[in-house]
Amino acid sequence: MKNIFAIILVLFTVTISAQNYKEHKVKIGETIEGIARQYMVTPFDIYALNPDAKSSLKPNMVLVIPDSIVKNQPLKEETRELTGYKTHKVKRKETLFGLAKKYNITEEEIKKANRFLYSENLKKGKKIRIPKYRTVTYKKSYTNTLKKYTVLPKEGKWRIAYKFGIPVAELERLNPQMNAVIQPGDVLNVPNISDEEEKIVTDSLNYYEVLPKEGFYRLNKKLGVTQEELEALNPELKEEGLKVGMVLKVPANTKNSEALDEVETTRLDSNLKNFKTKKLALMLPYRLERIDTDSVEETKEMIKSSRLLSVVLDFHVGVRMALDSAKQLGVSTDLKVLDTRYQASTIRNLLDENDFSDYDAVIGPMKEDCFERVAAALKGDKVPVIAAMTMPKEVYNNVFQTIPEDKLLRKAMIDFVKADSTMNRIVIIADQSNRSKSAKLLEEFPKARQIFSKTDKDGQDAFYIYPQDLVNVFNEGKTIVFLETQSNPFASSVISMLNGLAVNETEIVLMTLDKNKAFEGKNIDNYHLSNLKFHYPSVNKDFDDSRSNGFVSNYKKEYGVSPSKYATRGFDITLDLLLRLASEDNLYEAAGSEIETEYIENKFRYNKSLFGGYINEAVYIVKYDNLRIVEAK
């Protein structure tokens, strides 16, 4: 028996030597992903030879590392070298920002050359040093060598990641400037493997990256694909199982259509385990350069007159109060507040001057193009960027969109009506521009009756209906009326007529898929809306002032008024963010669609989109009830 073991040991040693395998002793803090990058192999290659590493990676563990299939060729690198300094005499009204722009350097580089500027302002007549740089190109060899790859037609990030055997996150790390949606002809950095080693990608299939905590059951719910179907398309699953970051082949018609079933609200404060201080950045347009801090009255007047500044300061107060609430639960925060000035140029400077790579999350900016620039710049480091008060054009993998999409609001309203067992009759009233919306409602409720606004002799919408259009439409019992319009006069006229018909045993419940300004203003009678029990889908609800609430009480005590919706939103978003970070190792792991949280006026349930980031899918249905807006059950 001993001889047999000796022979096996010799054969194994010879095999290892013949295939140029290496040994690696794990150091404290190392990860499989980092070790894989060091030797230019994939994590899956390491797991195949070291199955014990799947469950536990410990210091001093010896791993067997296969020989890399990547070619090691020198690459061109560019760096900036300091060549000297130029003396500049400060002129009247010159700023660091202006000097940095003038000399094509950053404000931080000027400060480093003139240390006194960290504590003093620029002064007229003061001579300062302006650093001069040159760009040097040189060749450098890496263990993790790359090559250039030109994107082909119909190729996306998932297909390219699959082709080269790396996770999408690794492809993004290698290409920090890569767009969310890549285009044919784009040139990317990819592992420098031979053509024979590239996996075959077909147009008849789609590709999906496995997320944390996703098993076959969750993928079946989300993608509608069974374990057997996945294993047939990806035979390696039978040997290796599912792993985070794997890019899988899936059927071409696969869509991220996971149904968000009803779930109980999650109390994150009872499951806190990560008490490491959280690093957050708050990027808002305070526009401090416009405020004269020496004039209190002028500053007060500016706050009153500037709608943007009022919103920003309200949101900021909510953020600060959330930090205090989290601290009482043992969660401390290192918050960095940055003034974006509502300018893209300022965003560029903030990104140049600050290292966000170790931040747990960034909240903001508010402006759409500024938000997109920050999200794109930080996606390589996988820093979550929170879209608190904006709807981003591109939902990158690191973006958390807190405002539910309009299509989700509409779907929630329709599902709410379908779940009503007392629903008898449905009437759809719409103006001419909302005919398509009326048609979609008819698809959902085929027995509904449609009524449209009248047109003038030129065929233009006249925005009215005749009272006789509603004759014999409403009988005893309950009738649901969908009113779809953006016209305030049309909405006012229809609401008034419906209110006159809602008498005795005739119950009319008014609803809309899109609660816009047409349903607001002096022409709209709130008594009529209450009488019609007006329902609509909403991102938020009004807080219940009949219940004890620490945030609302503290806000009233501090400022003498009830908190605005912006202050409440700042509180809700920030507290949710901190509690999620304290319940898991990072925000991505705490963003499963089975987790739904609710605070003062907002709730959050994130779902990872198939080709992008995380979108909040928690929606309220609210209604008018005795002149109050409450959640409809």
Side-chain angles (χ1 to χ4, degrees), residues 572-606:
D572 287 353
I573 286 176
T574 307
L575 186 59
D576 180 66
L577 173 60
L578 291 172
L579 295 185
R580 286 178 186 265
L581 288 169
S583 65
E584 295 289 352
D585 291 336
N586 56 62
L587 190 57
Y588 300 106
E589 293 186 7
S593 59
E594 72 282 359
I595 300 174
E596 180 170 298
T597 54
E598 184 173 16
Y599 301 93
I600 312 303
E601 291 186 355
N602 300 271
K603 56 183 177 179
F604 307 93
R605 188 179 183 187
Y606 292 103

Coordinates of all heavy atoms in Angstrom, one line a residue, residues 572-606:
D572 N -34.3 59.3 4.9 CA -34.6 58.0 4.6 C -33.5 57.3 3.7 O -33.2 56.1 4.0 CB -36.0 57.9 3.8 CG -37.2 58.2 4.7 OD1 -37.0 58.3 5.9 OD2 -38.3 58.4 4.1
I573 N -33.1 58.0 2.7 CA -32.0 57.4 1.8 C -30.8 57.1 2.6 O -30.2 56.0 2.5 CB -31.8 58.3 0.6 CG1 -32.9 58.3 -0.3 CG2 -30.5 57.9 -0.1 CD1 -32.8 59.2 -1.5
T574 N -30.3 58.1 3.4 CA -29.1 57.9 4.1 C -29.1 56.9 5.2 O -28.2 56.0 5.4 CB -28.6 59.3 4.7 OG1 -28.6 60.3 3.7 CG2 -27.2 59.2 5.3
L575 N -30.2 56.8 6.0 CA -30.4 55.8 7.0 C -30.4 54.4 6.4 O -29.8 53.5 6.9 CB -31.6 56.1 7.9 CG -31.8 55.2 9.1 CD1 -30.6 55.3 10.0 CD2 -33.0 55.5 9.8
D576 N -31.2 54.3 5.3 CA -31.2 53.0 4.6 C -29.9 52.6 4.2 O -29.5 51.4 4.3 CB -32.2 53.1 3.5 CG -32.3 51.8 2.7 OD1 -32.8 50.8 3.3 OD2 -31.9 51.7 1.6
L577 N -29.1 53.5 3.6 CA -27.8 53.2 3.1 C -26.9 52.7 4.2 O -26.2 51.7 4.1 CB -27.2 54.5 2.4 CG -25.7 54.4 2.0 CD1 -25.5 53.4 0.9 CD2 -25.4 55.8 1.4
L578 N -26.9 53.4 5.3 CA -26.0 53.1 6.5 C -26.4 51.7 7.1 O -25.5 50.9 7.4 CB -26.0 54.2 7.5 CG -25.4 55.5 7.1 CD1 -25.6 56.6 8.2 CD2 -23.9 55.3 6.9
L579 N -27.7 51.5 7.2 CA -28.1 50.2 7.8 C -27.8 49.0 6.9 O -27.4 47.9 7.4 CB -29.6 50.3 8.2 CG -30.0 51.3 9.3 CD1 -31.4 51.1 9.6 CD2 -29.1 51.1 10.5
R580 N -27.9 49.2 5.6 CA -27.6 48.2 4.7 C -26.1 47.9 4.7 O -25.6 46.7 4.7 CB -28.0 48.5 3.2 CG -29.5 48.4 3.0 CD -29.9 48.9 1.6 NE -31.3 48.9 1.4 CZ -32.0 47.9 0.9 NH1 -31.4 46.8 0.5 NH2 -33.4 48.0 0.7
L581 N -25.3 48.9 4.8 CA -23.8 48.8 4.9 C -23.4 48.1 6.2 O -22.4 47.3 6.2 CB -23.1 50.1 4.8 CG -23.1 50.8 3.4 CD1 -22.6 52.2 3.5 CD2 -22.2 50.0 2.4
A582 N -24.2 48.3 7.2 CA -23.9 47.7 8.5 C -24.4 46.3 8.6 O -24.0 45.6 9.6 CB -24.4 48.6 9.6
S583 N -25.2 45.9 7.7 CA -25.8 44.5 7.8 C -25.1 43.5 6.9 O -25.3 42.3 7.1 CB -27.3 44.5 7.4 OG -27.4 44.9 6.0
E584 N -24.2 44.0 6.0 CA -23.4 43.1 5.1 C -22.0 43.7 5.0 O -21.7 44.8 5.5 CB -24.1 43.0 3.8 CG -25.4 42.2 3.8 CD -25.3 40.7 4.1 OE1 -24.2 40.2 4.2 OE2 -26.3 40.1 4.3
D585 N -21.2 43.1 4.2 CA -19.8 43.6 4.0 C -19.8 44.8 3.0 O -18.9 45.6 3.1 CB -18.9 42.4 3.4 CG -18.7 41.3 4.4 OD1 -18.7 41.6 5.6 OD2 -18.4 40.2 3.9
N586 N -20.8 44.9 2.1 CA -20.8 46.0 1.2 C -22.3 46.2 0.8 O -23.1 45.4 1.1 CB -19.9 45.8 0.0 CG -20.2 44.5 -0.7 OD1 -21.3 44.3 -1.3 ND2 -19.2 43.6 -0.8
L587 N -22.5 47.3 0.0 CA -23.9 47.6 -0.4 C -24.4 46.6 -1.4 O -25.6 46.4 -1.4 CB -23.9 49.0 -0.9 CG -25.3 49.6 -1.2 CD1 -26.1 49.6 0.1 CD2 -25.2 51.0 -1.8
Y588 N -23.6 46.1 -2.2 CA -24.1 45.1 -3.2 C -24.7 43.9 -2.6 O -25.7 43.4 -3.0 CB -22.9 44.7 -4.2 CG -22.3 45.9 -4.9 CD1 -21.1 46.4 -4.5 CD2 -23.0 46.6 -5.9 CE1 -20.6 47.5 -5.2 CE2 -22.5 47.7 -6.6 CZ -21.3 48.2 -6.2 OH -20.8 49.2 -6.8
E589 N -24.0 43.4 -1.5 CA -24.5 42.2 -0.9 C -25.8 42.5 -0.1 O -26.6 41.6 0.3 CB -23.5 41.6 0.1 CG -22.3 41.1 -0.7 CD -21.3 40.4 0.2 OE1 -21.6 40.2 1.4 OE2 -20.2 40.0 -0.2
A590 N -26.0 43.8 0.3 CA -27.2 44.1 1.0 C -28.3 44.6 0.2 O -29.3 45.2 0.7 CB -26.8 45.2 2.1
A591 N -28.2 44.4 -1.1 CA -29.2 44.9 -2.1 C -30.0 43.8 -2.8 O -30.5 44.0 -3.9 CB -28.5 45.8 -3.1
G592 N -30.2 42.7 -2.1 CA -31.0 41.6 -2.7 C -32.5 42.0 -2.8 O -33.0 42.8 -1.9
S593 N -33.2 41.5 -3.8 CA -34.6 41.9 -4.0 C -35.5 41.4 -2.9 O -36.7 41.7 -2.9 CB -35.1 41.5 -5.4 OG -34.9 40.1 -5.5
E594 N -35.0 40.5 -2.0 CA -35.8 40.0 -1.0 C -35.9 40.9 0.2 O -36.6 40.7 1.2 CB -35.3 38.6 -0.5 CG -34.0 38.6 0.3 CD -32.8 38.7 -0.6 OE1 -32.9 38.8 -1.8 OE2 -31.7 38.8 -0.1
I595 N -35.1 42.0 0.2 CA -35.0 43.0 1.3 C -35.7 44.2 0.9 O -35.4 44.9 -0.1 CB -33.5 43.3 1.5 CG1 -32.7 42.1 1.9 CG2 -33.4 44.4 2.6 CD1 -31.2 42.4 2.1
E596 N -36.8 44.5 1.6 CA -37.6 45.7 1.4 C -37.6 46.5 2.8 O -38.0 46.0 3.8 CB -39.0 45.4 1.0 CG -39.8 46.7 0.8 CD -41.2 46.5 0.1 OE1 -41.1 46.0 -1.0 OE2 -42.2 46.8 0.8
T597 N -37.1 47.7 2.7 CA -37.0 48.5 3.9 C -38.0 49.7 3.8 O -38.3 50.2 2.7 CB -35.6 49.1 4.1 OG1 -35.2 49.7 3.0 CG2 -34.7 47.9 4.4
E598 N -38.5 50.3 4.9 CA -39.4 51.4 4.9 C -39.1 52.3 6.1 O -38.8 51.8 7.2 CB -40.8 50.9 5.0 CG -41.8 52.1 4.9 CD -43.3 51.6 4.8 OE1 -43.5 50.4 5.1 OE2 -44.1 52.4 4.4
Y599 N -39.1 53.6 5.8 CA -38.7 54.6 6.9 C -39.9 55.6 7.0 O -41.0 55.2 7.2 CB -37.4 55.2 6.5 CG -36.3 54.1 6.4 CD1 -36.0 53.6 5.2 CD2 -35.7 53.7 7.6 CE1 -35.0 52.6 5.1 CE2 -34.7 52.7 7.5 CZ -34.4 52.1 6.2 OH -33.5 51.1 6.2
I600 N -39.6 56.9 6.9 CA -40.6 57.9 7.2 C -41.6 58.0 6.1 O -42.8 57.9 6.2 CB -40.0 59.3 7.5 CG1 -38.8 59.1 8.5 CG2 -41.0 60.2 8.0 CD1 -39.2 58.5 9.8
E601 N -41.1 58.3 4.9 CA -41.9 58.5 3.7 C -41.5 57.7 2.5 O -42.2 57.7 1.5 CB -41.9 60.0 3.3 CG -42.6 60.9 4.3 CD -42.7 62.4 3.7 OE1 -42.1 62.6 2.6 OE2 -43.3 63.2 4.4
N602 N -40.4 57.0 2.6 CA -39.9 56.2 1.5 C -39.6 54.8 1.8 O -39.3 54.5 3.0 CB -38.6 56.9 1.0 CG -38.8 58.3 0.6 OD1 -39.1 58.6 -0.6 ND2 -38.6 59.3 1.5
K603 N -39.7 53.9 0.8 CA -39.3 52.5 1.0 C -38.4 52.1 -0.2 O -38.4 52.7 -1.2 CB -40.5 51.6 1.2 CG -41.5 51.6 0.0 CD -42.7 50.7 0.4 CE -43.7 50.7 -0.7 NZ -44.9 49.7 -0.3
F604 N -37.6 51.1 0.1 CA -36.6 50.7 -0.9 C -36.5 49.2 -1.0 O -36.4 48.4 -0.1 CB -35.2 51.2 -0.4 CG -35.2 52.7 -0.1 CD1 -35.4 53.1 1.2 CD2 -35.0 53.6 -1.1 CE1 -35.4 54.5 1.5 CE2 -35.0 55.0 -0.8 CZ -35.2 55.4 0.5
R605 N -36.6 48.8 -2.3 CA -36.4 47.3 -2.6 C -35.7 47.3 -4.0 O -36.3 47.6 -5.0 CB -37.7 46.6 -2.7 CG -37.6 45.1 -2.9 CD -38.9 44.5 -2.9 NE -38.8 43.0 -3.0 CZ -39.9 42.2 -3.2 NH1 -41.1 42.7 -3.3 NH2 -39.7 40.9 -3.3
Y606 N -34.4 47.0 -4.0 CA -33.6 47.1 -5.2 C -33.6 45.8 -5.9 O -33.5 44.7 -5.3 CB -32.1 47.5 -4.8 CG -32.0 48.9 -4.2 CD1 -31.9 49.1 -2.9 CD2 -32.1 50.0 -5.1 CE1 -31.8 50.4 -2.4 CE2 -32.0 51.2 -4.6 CZ -31.8 51.5 -3.3 OH -31.8 52.7 -2.8

